[in-house]
Amino acid sequence: MKLTKTKNDMKNFSWIFLGFLLIVFSCTSSDADSDDIEPIEENQEEEIITVPVVSTVQITEITNKTATGGGTNINDGGSNITQKGICWSKVSSPDLDDNFTEEGGSTEDFTSFLDELDGNTTYFVRAYAINEIGVGYGEELSFTTDENPVVVYEGDVELTSQAEVDEFGMNGYTIVTGSFAVVANLINQVNPEYISNLDGIKQLTEVGTDLSILSTTVENLDALSNLKKVGGSINIQGNPLLAEIDFLNEITEINSDVVISSNPSVIEISGFKNVVSINGDLELISMDGLETISGFGQLNSISGLLRFQSLISVMDFSGFTSLSSIGGDLDILTSSISDMNGFSSLTNIGGSLILRTNVILDNVDGLSNLSTIQGDLIVDNNASALNNNFTDGLKNVNGFINLNTLGGDLTVTSNKLLTDFCGLKTIFENGYTGNYTVGSSNGYNPSKEQILGDECSN
């Protein structure tokens, strides 16, 4: 059989052939393009950035005021270092809230210079480095500065301006053989000579006679932390911004009077921690903000008087729990003390005991070890006149139950809530012959005979 191609057959063949060429060209082009496409890697991880790592270099070239440190082996944590240096403090774990140096941004080792240090003082040091994530600190090291060289000023010193305080510091005096006073000159009301910084005297270790800090605007007495001996009196008065008195913690004996007065911002007296004896008076007067007296914890004896006056916020006298003997008077006048528990070791008062206008004094039980008062015993007006119901005030005197000797007069007046006098029975039984004044304004006003006859309370 003979096959023949028609015109239509030729036309269909042409279309088929053209389609085949297009398919071949398309596949070839796709293969060529695929060579230019990079394969996509699955599970590709992002780079993690951390705080820098740095090592603290050992401290060298130590003097009484300076030292040298630094940092090494710095790893930037994956982000550029923006700052590095060392930080230091007198307490452990120093950071950028303390003293620090700035040595620029890089991973190169660095050296830093520490200055304005205190002599014979232990410091803690860490290197640091900063990147965009945060601060990395090196290991903590410590060192102790050298002792300050002994530089003696012969005679008395009185510094009346900030410039004079600073100049004293530049001379490096460590001992003053006479008295030492910082007294701001406020007479010129237009340009008063305020003294707000005592760093110039921080090297001072010894004062031959009296020490006075008067009318300054300092907020603390940290600059006196190196003071180890005061030969005379101590007078801290009229410093309106002073917030805490925490110094003289290495002194064991004070050879004259201590007067702390008219410092309205003082909240706590926590210093004098190792003072065993005061050979004079101790007076704490007119400090409205004072709440706590936690210092004087080792104080055993005072040869003169002990006076607390106009301390309207004081609630805690716990610093006097070791006190056993007072040579002069014990005066507690216009305070917010509620009990006498801070005087639990007191056995002897060489002068008088005066408790007056202590509006929330509830009891005197803390005086139960008191056996001797050589002078008068005065208990007067210990109730709140601001409270018409008189719910606050002294209610009994049981704390005097062991009082055997009273050398002066006995006066108990104007204690509106006081109805129990039984604590006075012992003194009457021991033959007390002094003047007894009870008046008519206590909650109960028994006679001597009533107290002895078991009518001591109402």
Side-chain angles (χ1 to χ4, degrees), residues 6 37 59 89 144 164 194 255 258 288 359 363 382 412 431 444:
T6 67
I37 298 175
I59 305 301
S89 174
T144 301
E164 290 181 359
Y194 291 114
N255 293 316
V258 177
D288 293 349
V359 295
N363 66 78
N382 296 288
V412 184
Y444 176 52

Side-chain angles (χ1 to χ4, degrees), residues 144-222:
T144 301
T145 53
D146 294 343
E147 292 271 3
N148 288 318
V150 177
V151 183
V152 179
Y153 183 94
E154 298 284 350
D156 300 333
V157 173
E158 182 175 293
L159 308 177
T160 61
S161 69
Q162 187 66 61
E164 290 181 359
V165 171
D166 297 341
E167 183 180 356
F168 182 88
M170 288 187 288
N171 289 321
Y173 293 114
T174 58
I175 296 175
V176 173
T177 61
S179 63
F180 183 84
V182 179
V183 186
N185 180 6
L186 303 179
I187 295 176
N188 186 343
Q189 297 299 315
V190 177
N191 295 302
E193 292 284 351
Y194 291 114
I195 298 174
S196 59
N197 188 313
L198 297 181
D199 285 351
I201 65 174
K202 65 183 180 181
Q203 74 279 1
L204 194 63
T205 61
E206 183 176 330
V207 173
T209 58
D210 302 334
L211 169 67
S212 300
I213 308 295
L214 309 174
S215 303
T216 72
T217 54
V218 299
E219 297 180 4
N220 60 68
L221 298 176
D222 293 350

Side-chain angles (χ1 to χ4, degrees), residues 23 292 353 374-375:
I23 290 172
T292 303
L353 171 57
Q374 298 290 350

Side-chain angles (χ1 to χ4, degrees), residues 242-246 265-271 273 287 289-295 316 318:
L242 186 61
E244 182 177 7
I245 296 177
D246 182 13
S265 298
V266 169
I267 297 174
E268 182 175 8
I269 298 176
S270 56
K273 289 183 175 67
M287 289 180 281
L290 182 61
E291 298 176 358
T292 303
I293 305 171
S294 59
D316 182 3
S318 61

Side-chain angles (χ1 to χ4, degrees), residues 38-59:
E38 294 182 3
I40 298 175
E41 294 183 11
E42 296 184 359
N43 301 323
Q44 186 173 1
E45 295 182 359
E46 295 184 3
E47 184 178 3
I48 299 175
I49 301 175
T50 64
V51 297
V53 176
V54 59
S55 297
T56 308
V57 171
Q58 191 68 38
I59 305 301

Side-chain angles (χ1 to χ4, degrees), residues 109-144:
D109 294 351
F110 65 90
T111 299
S112 288
F113 186 67
L114 293 70
D115 60 1
E116 297 185 3
L117 305 177
D118 295 336
N120 193 31
T121 301
T122 297
Y123 286 93
F124 299 88
V125 179
R126 293 194 295 180
Y128 76 89
I130 303 174
N131 66 8
E132 65 176 283
I133 297 298
V135 184
Y137 291 99
E139 62 273 33
E140 179 178 279
L141 302 177
S142 66
F143 70 98
T144 301

